Amino acid sequence: MTVSASRSSGLPRGIRFAAMVGLVLAALTGWSALSEATHLAHFYEARERQLENEFPAWMGDKALMETVVRTQYSALEPMREPRTVLMGVLSIACAFVFVAAARMLRPDGLPREGMRRLLGRAAITVAVLRTIDGAQFAVVSRRMGTALAQSMKNLPAYQDPVAADMVSTLAPWFAVGLSVLGTALVAGTFALLGQYFRSDSVRDAVLAREPATEEE
């Protein structure tokens, strides 16, 4: 068996760009998930540290922010254990995406076709896990938004009944909307990456650049 030396080792620009997007997004998402899993594993200590922190001036009244933080941890507490597992699994799945994307860009002797298959499956897995994560956090966000609205009613700027009613109505939905938007962007991007790397066109492009073996 001999290896043909005539092949081109470079990937098309589109595949390289998609792999780079997967690499960066997996790093950010995986680090975020691992960080939250660590916080959830030390739930009560993390809550106390968060409450003891000095909030930046732009975040507004300290008591108001403490109420939001307490509400966040109160909403997370019933789901603490399953969410810890979810975040741990999500960080591992992101690690697979990161490694596969890195090896697509720099194979270092590993077959790119194997990395392509791994990247496609891992990206779809991350999309599913991130969607579950987003659904859980949307519940937390709604409670945080409601607590924020209730606390803002006591501020001088919101004593007007119309302003107070507007805040009560919009704040919870605004918080949920931001959570859903973030989930859609991240999970949707991973889903698109997964489908892209599982496509026939990418498979054919990768196989065309794999080492060709010839029997003598």
Side-chain angles (χ1 to χ4, degrees):
M1 305 279 289
T2 61
V3 178
S4 172
S6 62
R7 69 184 184 93
S8 171
S9 60
L11 287 173
R13 182 177 301 177
I15 297 178
R16 293 201 309 272
F17 176 76
M20 183 62 70
V21 170
L23 186 77
V24 174
L25 192 58
L28 295 175
T29 305
W31 176 256
S32 176
L34 183 60
S35 177
E36 184 171 351
T38 302
H39 278 78
L40 290 171
H42 303 87
F43 185 82
Y44 299 106
E45 297 91 332
R47 181 183 63 186
E48 293 309 312
R49 284 197 303 271
Q50 188 72 22
L51 289 170
E52 290 171 1
N53 287 340
E54 288 294 329
F55 296 99
W58 62 267
M59 296 183 74
D61 184 70
K62 185 175 187 296
L64 178 65
M65 295 313 303
E66 285 183 352
T67 299
V68 173
V69 170
R70 290 185 185 279
T71 302
Q72 177 187 2
Y73 278 89
S74 176
L76 284 171
E77 190 168 11
M79 63 178 78
R80 178 167 63 95
E81 292 183 358
R83 187 165 175 81
T84 302
V85 174
L86 174 65
M87 292 296 99
V89 175
L90 177 57
S91 65
I92 293 171
C94 286
F96 278 103
V97 174
F98 182 89
V99 171
R103 289 308 184 190
M104 283 292 293
L105 295 168
R106 293 181 178 275
D108 290 337
L110 293 175
R112 276 196 172 116
E113 172 58 13
M115 293 299 101
R116 179 195 67 81
R117 293 196 299 267
L118 175 60
L119 180 52
R121 290 193 295 265
I124 293 294
T125 301
V126 170
V128 173
L129 294 173
R130 184 61 182 81
T131 301
I132 298 171
D133 162 33
Q136 289 183 344
F137 200 75
V139 176
V140 177
S141 297
R142 181 171 176 79
R143 288 189 57 180
M144 290 170 62
T146 301
L148 179 62
Q150 292 299 320
S151 298
M152 289 176 68
K153 284 183 178 181
N154 299 322
L155 298 178
Y158 297 96
Q159 293 305 303
D160 179 72
V162 176
D165 184 64
M166 183 177 298
V167 169
S168 298
T169 303
L170 295 180
W173 289 109
F174 182 72
V176 172
L178 287 179
S179 176
V180 171
L181 179 61
T183 298
L185 287 174
V186 177
T189 301
F190 275 113
L192 289 174
L193 287 172
Q195 291 298 329
Y196 178 71
F197 281 102
R198 287 156 57 97
S199 67
D200 292 342
S201 59
V202 174
R203 181 197 62 195
D204 293 342
V206 170
L207 286 175
R209 289 160 177 78
E210 289 285 72
T213 57
E214 300 173 355
E215 293 189 5
E216 293 188 350

